[in-house]
Amino acid sequence: MDKKILFVTMDCWSDLNGATTASTFASLFSNYNPENMASLYLREDVPSGKGCSKYFQISESAVIKSVLKPRVKTGKLYSSSDLTVSEEDAKNIDKTSERYKKYGKKRNRLLLFVREFIWRIGRWKSKALKEFLLDFKPDVIIYGMEGYRYFNRVVRYSLKVTKAKGVGFFWDDNFTFKQRKKDLLFLIERTAQRKSLKKTASKSSAFLAISPKTKAEADEYFKINSTVITKPIDVRPYNEYLVGGGKIKIVYAGNLKIGRLDTLKLLSDVLDKSEELKDRFEVDVYSQTYLSKEEKELFKSPVNLKGGIPSYEVDSVLSGADVLLLLEALKGKNKNVARLSFSTKLTDYLGSGKCIFAICVKEHAFSEYLAENDCALIAENEEDIKIALQKLANDQTLLNYYGKRAHDVAVKNHSREIIEEKLYSLLENL
């Protein structure tokens, strides 16, 4: 297939970004001709990978400045042959990266409203952007069906200018009222998001969904027929776990936003209350999420906060684990935020052939998937966590059982050959 594809994402197409939309697209199209791919993104960052031939950045900081200074340059083009980071770029990246880490942990509705307003009146629709779109001339544009209305406007503008076929990807619940049914501000915000997504869907030619549950709900609401596509994995041979007498190492690699920090604290408390379990387990946490000094002090041994690592180091970290940890919010306003999500790291976990321990609400998309395939230990409260840990401590053969089950599911449903065949067939038939 030689169609030219433009990817529109929030985050930059980079080797350093692990669990992002751009990372998923990079993995899905790693065998595609880079000359036929281009990226349009809305973050203050510089691409580090060579996956695309061209990259166009719309700088959010510049869009903010353009409100008062209309002549500010909001768009910047990078080519795969020149991905150098200037001193000015580095300063802007560091500054905005810290801002996203600090304010991204908790969704402040007032700030989100201000952001939407700024993008509404800011001058992101630049001459440089239009020239980039017309010069690349994509046959297909692929994008996430995001809850950010300003992102959806960028997508629709790109479709209008290029006349390309649009493919929207659903991977979050940003279109139902099921997350917070009694929250008035949420209902108002969600109504606006639904309207924006419906408008984008009407301009789209095909749709992808991250899980069967996501597909079912998106298909019903938008009256579409989406195709289930997950991040693909290059499955390696299964290596049997060698049962030993040392500590069982649990590893988590991902963000600690939207309630995941509270769930990690619950796991920490369970271990802290039991000398027996504390002596049997250690938990290494790799996350780039900004944590205050007070939040870091909440965790005691054996939970070790290691900080963030680039995506190319994740495989090495996972290979040294005995158990791979998945975390989602269990209560409060964030309890149902991830109800339709299927974490990008989940397929990596499955392909690793390691035992998976998921602490999450059992009715959510990915936990239902794990339960149906019997390929993980699942807990959704303190007692469940304690029971699961005791099982592992008392019977280490379970590490092999769940590791092999996970590997079998990866081979059957998520291997690169299967995912690419399904995806390329859809794009060819547009």
Side-chain angles (χ1 to χ4, degrees):
M1 189 174 74
D2 58 358
K3 290 188 177 184
K4 297 181 76 173
I5 304 174
L6 172 66
F7 302 92
V8 186
T9 59
M10 293 292 294
D11 294 284
C12 175
W13 192 296
S14 169
D15 294 335
L16 304 178
N17 295 336
T20 65
T21 304
S23 168
T24 299
F25 288 151
S27 180
L28 280 168
F29 290 88
S30 64
N31 290 328
Y32 204 75
N33 183 0
E35 289 302 311
N36 288 334
M37 299 196 295
S39 165
L40 168 59
Y41 64 98
L42 281 58
R43 281 286 187 265
E44 205 87 36
D45 207 347
V46 176
S48 64
K50 301 281 186 178
C52 296
S53 60
K54 296 179 180 179
Y55 305 83
F56 192 90
Q57 174 206 80
I58 301 178
S59 163
E60 185 166 51
S61 297
V63 172
I64 293 171
K65 293 174 184 176
S66 74
V67 174
L68 297 177
K69 298 179 179 179
R71 293 184 181 276
V72 167
K73 183 180 177 182
T74 57
K76 187 169 184 178
L77 178 66
Y78 296 92
S79 69
S80 60
S81 59
D82 180 26
L83 293 179
T84 56
V85 181
S86 68
E87 188 175 337
E88 183 182 359
D89 282 336
K91 287 180 181 178
N92 288 332
I93 291 169
D94 290 342
K95 193 183 300 180
T96 54
S97 177
E98 286 304 310
R99 185 171 72 227
Y100 288 132
K101 284 181 183 179
K102 188 171 183 179
Y103 293 106
K105 194 170 58 172
K106 296 181 180 179
R107 290 174 61 84
N108 184 308
R109 285 220 179 85
L110 177 60
L111 291 179
L112 291 174
F113 173 79
V114 171
R115 171 195 257 178
E116 290 285 358
F117 179 71
I118 287 172
W119 275 86
R120 171 72 73 173
I121 63 175
R123 298 178 66 85
W124 59 267
K125 208 179 287 184
S126 64
K127 180 182 177 182
L129 172 60
K130 189 171 184 178
E131 287 177 350
F132 161 72
L133 293 170
L134 292 175
D135 178 62
F136 183 67
K137 295 179 184 175
D139 301 301
V140 180
I141 301 179
I142 303 180
Y143 40 86
M145 298 295 283
E146 302 283 0
Y148 302 104
R149 301 193 295 283
Y150 67 91
F151 175 87
N152 295 329
R153 283 197 296 276
V154 174
V155 167
R156 293 195 296 269
Y157 175 76
S158 302
L159 289 169
K160 181 180 179 181
V161 169
T162 63
K163 311 299 182 189
K165 297 289 186 181
V167 179
F169 203 153
F170 290 97
W171 40 53
D172 273 322
D173 179 10
N174 47 32
F175 58 89
T176 80
F177 290 116
K178 297 178 181 180
Q179 290 179 8
R180 301 171 192 165
K181 297 178 182 178
K182 299 179 181 179
D183 185 333
L184 179 60
L185 290 177
F186 166 77
L187 296 176
I188 293 171
E189 179 186 26
R190 182 49 51 94
T191 299
Q193 289 174 323
R194 281 156 66 98
K195 183 179 179 181
S196 175
L197 284 168
K198 269 197 164 182
K199 197 171 181 180
T200 303
S202 71
K203 308 293 182 184
S204 306
S205 301
F207 301 90
L208 310 175
I210 199 68
S211 75
K213 189 181 183 80
T214 313
K215 170 182 166 57
E217 296 198 18
D219 285 1
E220 180 181 7
Y221 179 69
F222 292 97
K223 310 303 180 191
I224 60 176
N225 182 22
S226 57
T227 300
V228 177
I229 294 287
T230 66
K231 179 181 176 182
I233 46 177
D234 300 303
V235 183
R236 296 185 289 266
Y238 176 70
N239 290 319
E240 186 171 335
Y241 175 79
L242 300 176
V243 177
K247 282 192 173 186
I248 298 172
K249 180 182 281 192
I250 301 175
V251 169
Y252 176 78
N255 79 61
L256 294 170
K257 301 175 185 176
I258 54 173
R260 296 185 182 104
L261 185 66
D262 294 331
T263 305
L264 179 63
K265 179 63 170 62
L266 183 60
L267 171 63
S268 176
D269 289 344
V270 170
L271 290 169
D272 196 48
K273 290 175 183 177
S274 169
E275 288 298 326
E276 177 191 357
L277 293 178
K278 191 189 295 188
D279 290 340
R280 293 306 314 277
F281 293 93
E282 61 179 335
V283 183
D284 289 346
V285 178
Y286 297 87
S287 178
Q288 296 188 26
T289 302
Y290 172 84
L291 298 180
S292 67
K293 181 181 177 182
E294 291 76 15
E295 287 171 327
K296 290 177 181 177
E297 290 175 349
L298 292 173
F299 298 95
K300 303 172 184 176
S301 178
V303 175
N304 310 302
L305 302 177
K306 300 281 192 175
I309 53 173
S311 58
Y312 57 78
E313 290 184 14
V314 172
D315 277 350
S316 175
V317 167
L318 298 186
S319 66
D322 302 317
V323 178
L324 301 178
L325 180 65
L326 286 169
L327 298 172
E328 293 296 348
L330 296 176
K331 58 184 180 180
K333 64 181 182 179
N334 291 312
K335 178 180 177 180
N336 289 314
V337 169
R339 56 180 298 275
L340 294 184
S341 298
F342 196 92
S343 173
T344 54
K345 61 178 167 285
L346 180 52
T347 51
D348 293 331
Y349 278 18
L350 290 167
S352 72
K354 301 282 185 177
C355 173
I356 297 172
F357 182 26
I359 307 178
C360 55
V361 177
K362 293 181 180 178
E363 289 77 24
H364 288 182
F366 80 85
S367 48
E368 284 185 355
Y369 182 82
L370 293 174
E372 287 167 5
N373 288 283
D374 187 28
C375 58
L377 285 160
I378 304 173
E380 65 175 351
N381 55 49
E382 184 173 347
E383 185 62 22
D384 284 352
I385 295 171
K386 184 177 179 180
I387 290 171
L389 292 175
Q390 286 175 334
K391 282 182 178 179
L392 289 175
N394 295 331
D395 184 6
Q396 289 191 29
T397 62
L398 289 175
L399 296 172
N400 268 322
Y401 173 79
Y402 284 111
K404 183 64 167 60
R405 292 287 302 178
H407 189 267
D408 290 345
V409 170
V411 172
K412 180 182 176 182
N413 297 336
H414 306 285
S415 64
R416 179 168 297 281
E417 294 77 14
I418 291 172
I419 298 298
E420 284 186 352
E421 181 181 357
K422 196 191 301 187
L423 179 60
Y424 290 177
S425 175
L426 179 145
L427 295 177
E428 192 65 48
N429 291 326
L430 279 176

